[in-house]
Amino acid sequence: MNFLGRFLRRRAEVRDSGPAIAGDRAFANSGVILGGVHLDAASALSGARQELAELVTRQWRQEAVDRLQLDDPDAIAVPWHTVTDRTLMDNARNLTPSSLKLRFTGQNLDPLVTEFLRMTRRRLVIIGDAGSGKTTLAVQLVRKLLERRAEDGTDDPIPVLLSVADWDPTAFERLNDWVAHRLARDYPTLAPKAQRSAICRNLVDQGHVLPVLDGLDELPKSARTAAVKALNRSCAEDVRLILTCRTAEYRQAVRKPGKPFTSALVVEPDRLSPEAAADYLDRCLRVDREPS
């Protein structure tokens, strides 16, 4: 099982509190009961949003240290840029002009974060070959967006990383429905069981969650095209998201329906120079020895 799979299995222990009324309409009308205290729907949703932000921040901070070692040493300076093959992106008129010339490195994501937050429609696709650092970049971006959200004190959507391999576009034709399903499954402490699905649907449909979808290439070939079509349908609902995929599989997925992912900026890595790779390996592996 890869690190993302291990992370998603780390579930907080949950203990549901008291009787409650199920269903979206009942939730909107009656709210929830937590620990014997009645909360109206708005308060319950606000509490769930804060809980989700704290859970995601805490989990990824620990996961980065334990599994990815992103902070020790500093991340390798992989250079990234907006794709040169513009057939993989939507019409340039649907993107911010500055995003078309974007360049950044794995050691400094500030240009990417700034550009992403500036975009009218916050949609980003990260492509690259196997082992090029797509998931690592996605995790770093999640952490940076959480940090920026906390520093600015904003109510920006909470980035949540999800493995696309678990998505069946035929069972969940709306991306939001699947994301809400995953939130309810992966973060059970967000609400009592009876209201959890309703609260998660409200969190997603009201734009409080930024789905970070990792590994479109892990879907079967036929499902990939269906997923891209589903993503484009979701774009009509003004969905914001981040997606990772291997380059060849993404090219195949977007060209078959003849329409790339709507209004999404697509970035890819430069080739890492031998000098940069050697420097990073030296910092990671070198053992200082006394001169003989």
Side-chain angles (χ1 to χ4, degrees), residues 69-78 106-107 272 275-288:
Q69 296 183 333
L70 290 177
D71 298 322
D72 186 20
D74 290 337
I76 191 169
V78 176
Q107 282 187 333
L272 193 64
E275 294 78 13
D279 176 70
Y280 184 75
L281 290 173
D282 185 59
R283 286 190 291 127
C284 289
L285 303 177
R286 187 182 65 188
V287 177
D288 292 327

Side-chain angles (χ1 to χ4, degrees), residues 91-114:
N91 191 299
R93 289 177 295 180
N94 294 329
L95 298 163
T96 53
S98 56
S99 70
L100 301 177
K101 300 178 180 180
L102 180 65
R103 299 193 71 88
F104 61 94
T105 72
Q107 282 187 333
N108 181 15
L109 298 189
D110 288 342
L112 174 62
V113 172
T114 298

Side-chain angles (χ1 to χ4, degrees), residues 4 6 41 51 57 59 62-63 75 108 129-130 147 178 181 188 193 195 200 225 230 239 242 255 266 276:
L4 179 57
R6 291 193 297 270
E51 171 78 359
T57 300
Q59 289 171 335
Q62 189 60 45
E63 186 71 16
N108 181 15
D129 294 333
E147 290 172 9
W178 177 69
H181 168 76
K193 186 175 182 179
Q195 288 87 24
C200 289
T225 301
V239 167
I242 297 169
R255 284 184 174 173
V266 184

Side-chain angles (χ1 to χ4, degrees), residues 22-39:
D24 288 354
R25 183 170 297 178
F27 164 67
N29 293 333
S30 303
V32 301
I33 298 174
L34 291 173
V37 178
H38 179 270
L39 297 177

Side-chain angles (χ1 to χ4, degrees), residues 12-188:
E13 293 183 357
V14 60
R15 182 175 62 189
D16 293 325
S17 305
I21 303 171
D24 288 354
R25 183 170 297 178
F27 164 67
N29 293 333
S30 303
V32 301
I33 298 174
L34 291 173
V37 178
H38 179 270
L39 297 177
D40 60 65
S43 298
L45 194 65
S46 177
R49 185 177 65 222
Q50 181 177 347
E51 171 78 359
L52 180 62
E54 292 174 355
L55 283 173
V56 173
T57 300
R58 185 164 59 247
Q59 289 171 335
W60 274 119
R61 183 184 297 127
Q62 189 60 45
E63 186 71 16
V65 174
D66 291 350
R67 304 293 181 184
L68 297 179
Q69 296 183 333
L70 290 177
D71 298 322
D72 186 20
D74 290 337
I76 191 169
V78 176
W80 294 80
H81 62 273
T82 302
V83 291
T84 53
D85 182 356
R86 295 301 167 85
T87 65
L88 299 179
M89 284 201 311
D90 198 5
N91 191 299
R93 289 177 295 180
N94 294 329
L95 298 163
T96 53
S98 56
S99 70
L100 301 177
K101 300 178 180 180
L102 180 65
R103 299 193 71 88
F104 61 94
T105 72
Q107 282 187 333
N108 181 15
L109 298 189
D110 288 342
L112 174 62
V113 172
T114 298
E115 190 60 46
F116 183 74
L117 295 177
R118 182 186 296 150
M119 294 170 66
T120 304
R121 296 181 175 88
R122 296 176 186 175
R123 298 170 190 160
L124 172 70
V125 179
I126 302 168
I127 63 173
D129 294 333
S132 60
K134 301 180 296 297
T135 299
T136 299
L137 176 58
V139 172
Q140 290 175 309
L141 185 53
V142 165
R143 296 176 67 207
K144 284 291 185 182
L145 289 171
L146 287 167
E147 290 172 9
R148 184 73 66 90
R149 186 178 185 275
E151 291 170 0
D152 296 345
T154 66
D155 286 330
D156 277 351
I158 302 157
V160 177
L161 189 73
L162 301 167
S163 173
V164 184
D166 293 335
W167 181 24
D168 179 358
T170 61
F172 294 95
E173 293 184 358
R174 288 183 71 244
L175 173 66
N176 280 3
D177 290 343
W178 177 69
V179 173
H181 168 76
R182 287 296 306 273
L183 285 183
R185 192 188 79 179
D186 296 339
Y187 299 95

